[in-house]
Amino acid sequence: ASGSLSNDTIPTSKMLRLFVLLGFAVSCCLASERQFCCSAEDRHIVEKQWEVLWGDTESSKLKIGFGSLLLQRLAKEVPEVTALFKKVNIEHPESGEFAAHSLRILNALDMIINLLDDPEALDAALDHLADQHHDREGVKKAHFKTFGQILHASLPRVLDDYNAMSWRSCFKGILLKISSKLQG
Amino acid sequence: MKIVILVLAFVAVAMATECDNLTRLKVKSQWRRAYSHGHDREDFAQAIWRAIFAQVPDARGLFKRVHGDDTSSPEFEAHALRVLAGFDIVISILDQPAALKAELDHLEHQHDNRKIPDNYFDAFKTALLHVLPAQLGRCWDRDAWSACFDLIAHGVKGH
């Protein structure tokens, strides 16, 4: 009798698990338009993993290096981007202008990540960044898509702990919002 | 006796803080602690701006576009963090002259047609020098901050 009982309970618990999983999947997709599955837990993971980059007083050199690498890689994959960063002297990545700009971009990422817990202020900040990019002629949505790919490929190389699912789910919404006011 | 006075005078001169290389390093590390993360950072920004507007209420007029009348609004929260992020960049490259110059030029350019009176910068300084020790406790050096803030403000004002 005990055999039949356990035979019964296993499928039931499996079914239950499946239902719970399905339930999660559905709720995630329904909410996806607004929050892109960037759940509270995802946000905390991203914030915590990102903090590592900022712990040291001398981390500005690392940040400049990382930001500069991201932009240079973007320019390599999408050559038309080089012209867009001409004003900040991308031709001379070692220059003060490009170092400052690299840090600006990385600091904007930092600001966004630290605002993840305050959705309304985050929205206002992203909206402002969208305006700033809208004003730069030639910046395209496709550039942000590539930037996202470069970011996801590069982050695990500087962060020991990197949860790809959480980062992707949060940054999908962020990059879409920053590029939302672009034409192309 | 004269020698003692001379020595004291010499010490006093040596101690008058400038924003020199060592001072910059000190400011950098103290800032790293004060700037903090997440909600703490929002509260830090909020405290600075409330202290500014308490001193120069008219300054709110400059921030109409970002809802300066309500420092708790999401628009102003975002703005306050943008300003601190700019400040963070400058502080973190205090010891990298080329990048520092580029960033100060960038900030000067962003401010140059906003007609900001000098006393608003003073209010910012006073606010920062009050909120920082509240954040850091005893481990902070007012003179170091005062000297390095002046250097930054000078760069942003362009005069």
Side-chain angles (χ1 to χ4, degrees):
Chain A
S2 70
S4 73
L5 185 71
S6 64
N7 276 347
D8 267 4
T9 45
I10 289 169
T12 315
S13 72
K14 261 192 185 164
M15 279 295 273
L16 192 67
R17 235 183 280 165
L18 190 66
F19 268 121
V20 171
L21 269 177
L22 273 176
F24 271 130
V26 168
S27 67
C28 212
C29 294
L30 282 179
S32 69
E33 209 175 324
R34 221 181 51 224
Q35 51 189 349
F36 300 97
C37 299
C38 180
S39 67
E41 184 62 16
D42 284 332
R43 299 196 297 263
H44 291 153
I45 289 172
V46 166
E47 276 175 27
K48 208 165 170 214
Q49 296 184 340
W50 176 252
E51 255 179 55
V52 173
L53 215 58
W54 302 76
D56 191 76
T57 310
E58 287 313 306
S59 59
S60 62
K61 281 165 195 131
L62 185 148
K63 282 175 259 169
I64 289 171
F66 186 52
S68 149
L69 179 135
L70 291 175
L71 293 179
Q72 287 183 72
R73 207 162 275 182
L74 178 66
K76 203 174 158 195
E77 285 194 31
V78 194
E80 67 191 46
V81 158
T82 311
L84 302 173
F85 290 105
K86 207 176 163 162
K87 226 181 83 185
V88 291
N89 210 356
I90 196 171
E91 288 102 330
H92 303 97
E94 302 301 318
S95 64
E97 288 95 341
F98 196 65
H101 192 73
S102 303
L103 194 50
R104 242 171 262 145
I105 302 244
L106 217 67
N107 231 19
L109 287 179
D110 179 60
M111 178 180 72
I112 287 164
I113 290 169
N114 276 282
L115 274 173
L116 282 175
D117 265 337
D118 187 344
E120 287 178 320
L122 174 68
D123 246 28
L126 291 176
D127 196 56
H128 185 88
L129 286 171
D131 285 338
Q132 285 184 322
H133 287 92
H134 170 77
D135 294 345
R136 305 255 174 264
E137 208 177 319
V139 180
K140 294 182 186 142
K141 287 185 174 163
H143 300 160
F144 280 87
K145 211 173 166 198
T146 311
F147 184 79
Q149 287 161 357
I150 293 168
L151 190 67
H152 294 310
S154 310
L155 278 168
R157 301 182 66 181
V158 285
L159 303 179
D160 283 338
D161 283 323
Y162 177 74
N163 184 324
M165 293 278 273
S166 297
W167 280 88
R168 276 173 193 277
S169 67
C170 289
F171 264 83
K172 193 174 176 198
I174 288 168
L175 293 173
L176 273 177
K177 181 98 205 239
I178 298 178
S179 58
S180 62
K181 294 186 182 175
L182 301 174
Q183 303 295 328
Chain B
M1 197 60 197
K2 259 183 204 164
I3 287 182
V4 173
I5 290 170
L6 264 176
V7 168
L8 282 178
F10 179 75
V11 169
V13 168
M15 276 168 58
T17 310
E18 275 176 66
C19 190
D20 58 18
N21 287 347
L22 286 179
T23 309
R24 290 177 196 212
L25 287 177
K26 182 189 269 178
V27 164
K28 268 178 73 152
S29 74
Q30 293 184 350
W31 171 255
R32 188 73 4 247
R33 278 192 295 131
Y35 192 40
S36 66
H37 304 284
H39 283 301
D40 289 345
R41 187 182 293 175
E42 283 186 73
D43 295 341
F44 177 54
Q46 190 69 221
I48 292 175
W49 283 98
R50 285 186 185 166
I52 292 171
F53 290 146
Q55 299 170 74
V56 281
D58 294 345
R60 282 188 200 264
L62 284 174
F63 299 96
K64 269 202 191 104
R65 202 174 52 88
V66 290
H67 299 210
D69 49 322
D70 176 11
T71 56
S72 315
S73 64
E75 290 81 3
F76 196 79
E77 289 269 14
H79 175 76
L81 286 180
R82 266 198 298 279
V83 173
L84 280 200
F87 204 67
D88 176 59
I89 293 179
V90 177
I91 301 262
S92 67
I93 52 180
L94 272 177
D95 54 351
Q96 293 164 62
L100 179 65
K101 189 183 180 306
E103 185 59 19
L104 287 176
D105 287 350
H106 178 84
L107 290 174
E108 186 199 341
H109 179 67
Q110 283 186 327
H111 287 84
D112 65 4
N113 46 23
R114 295 193 194 264
K115 297 194 184 74
I116 303 171
D118 282 359
N119 69 316
Y120 288 5
F121 282 94
D122 297 341
F124 191 114
K125 179 177 175 180
T126 306
L128 189 70
L129 293 193
H130 277 85
V131 178
L132 274 172
Q135 187 90 338
L136 293 169
R138 276 197 295 174
C139 290
W140 95 291
D141 182 341
R142 190 182 191 285
D143 294 338
W145 274 95
S146 176
C148 290
F149 181 91
D150 290 345
L151 179 121
I152 293 168
H154 179 79
V156 176
K157 285 189 262 187
H159 61 257

